[in-house]
Amino acid sequence: MRIGEIAALVGVTPRAVRHYHHLGLLPEPARRANGYRVYGVRDAVLLARIRRLTELGLGLDEVRDVLADEAGRELVEVLEELDADLARQEAVLRGRRERLAGLLGEARAGRLADGAPVSPELAGLLAGLDGMEGLADSPTAAKDREVLTLLDAVVPDGERARLMGLMHEVAEGAGHVYGLLDALVDAAPDDPRVEDAARALARLLPPGLGGFALPEAGSGGLADVLFGELAPAQEAAVRRAMERTREGAGDAEG
């Protein structure tokens, strides 16, 4: 192979190949009588390895160290590792396409807000909520969707999956509770209906939700986002419900 051929095969430029020669990453191959370089399979494998390492974010000095550790290895071993690298890339791409397919289906069905890609867990949760009677006209349900979308983006992956799993347990009776909270928009925090809503919400929330910290009022950041959109009576009801849930979880552990 000539330099342009090996570069095209591996997916780099001839200029990059010459640069790797200059740095000593890629040994100079044999040359024909006319002075042209002649590359073989081993050269292509090494060049592909260099490209792969740089794609992973390694600097060229780090690539040199990695390649030095691999000196003397058999071609079959190097090819097998390269094949394993490609298989891992393929698995990552397959997972991304599966996630994209789920989100695309939700978007085509009109169940995904424009400009707000979400995780598969939240997409499934929102799809379930969409099928519930009365939620489409609930202002509290609309705010809840916004909060869930934010949590989906900022909560660490492991915690997000657990939180969304717990919210699936809540979804079945959400319509009734949203109605109680909607009625508190203009109510005072000491309105008797606050206690009714808190009791109904506490019965609905799973005990595992107590494992998530209850933010203090005025603590800033995520706490303000979670409660800033709620009317005073609504916030009072939600806080009472979450406190009961946390206390119940503590009693169960004790």
Side-chain angles (χ1 to χ4, degrees):
M1 287 182 288
R2 298 271 295 275
I3 189 169
E5 294 170 333
I6 191 174
L9 175 65
V10 176
V12 299
T13 65
R15 182 177 180 181
V17 177
R18 295 188 185 95
H19 186 55
Y20 297 151
H21 284 316
H22 177 71
L23 296 177
L25 296 177
L26 186 66
E28 284 280 352
R31 290 180 180 263
R32 292 177 177 170
N34 58 11
Y36 289 130
R37 296 180 179 93
V38 181
Y39 296 90
V41 173
R42 187 178 292 273
D43 298 310
V45 169
L46 180 55
L47 183 58
R49 184 65 174 154
I50 294 170
R51 192 208 70 187
R52 172 64 179 145
L53 291 171
T54 58
E55 287 176 349
L56 291 173
L58 273 66
L60 293 179
D61 288 339
E62 295 172 307
V63 171
R64 180 183 290 106
D65 293 339
V66 172
L67 295 178
D69 290 340
E70 295 178 346
R73 294 170 60 194
E74 293 296 325
L75 177 59
V76 170
E77 186 179 355
V78 175
L79 287 172
E80 286 175 345
E81 183 172 336
L82 180 59
D83 182 64
D85 284 342
L86 293 174
R88 283 190 288 270
Q89 293 181 65
E90 185 179 32
V92 170
L93 289 174
R94 188 183 304 115
R96 289 176 179 172
R97 290 200 66 195
E98 289 174 356
R99 175 181 174 182
L100 178 60
L103 295 176
L104 188 57
E106 294 299 310
R108 284 172 173 164
R111 294 191 290 264
L112 206 59
D114 290 340
V118 297
S119 69
E121 296 90 353
L122 180 55
L125 176 62
L126 295 180
L129 291 175
D130 284 334
M132 294 186 181
E133 186 177 352
L135 293 194
D137 299 325
S138 169
T140 306
K143 292 177 182 178
D144 218 17
R145 284 172 175 271
E146 294 177 354
V147 171
L148 286 171
T149 301
L150 174 63
L151 291 175
D152 187 62
V154 302
V155 173
D157 289 347
E159 287 294 281
R160 184 194 65 220
R162 185 165 74 92
L163 175 60
M164 295 305 165
L166 292 171
M167 294 308 297
H168 270 287
E169 299 179 31
V170 175
E172 195 167 317
H176 173 63
V177 173
Y178 281 137
L180 294 175
L181 291 173
D182 286 337
L184 296 177
V185 171
D186 298 319
D190 59 354
D191 190 298
R193 293 176 296 172
V194 170
E195 183 60 25
D196 294 337
R199 280 199 299 267
L201 182 57
R203 286 194 297 268
L204 188 63
L205 297 177
L209 199 61
F212 291 90
L214 183 64
E216 296 296 330
S219 60
L222 186 57
D224 286 345
V225 173
L226 291 174
F227 293 100
E229 296 293 320
L230 297 176
Q234 291 176 320
E235 179 178 344
V238 172
R239 285 188 175 278
R240 288 185 197 178
M242 293 185 71
E243 286 167 357
R244 288 176 177 171
T245 302
R246 187 169 61 178
E247 290 168 0
D251 293 342
E253 293 172 1

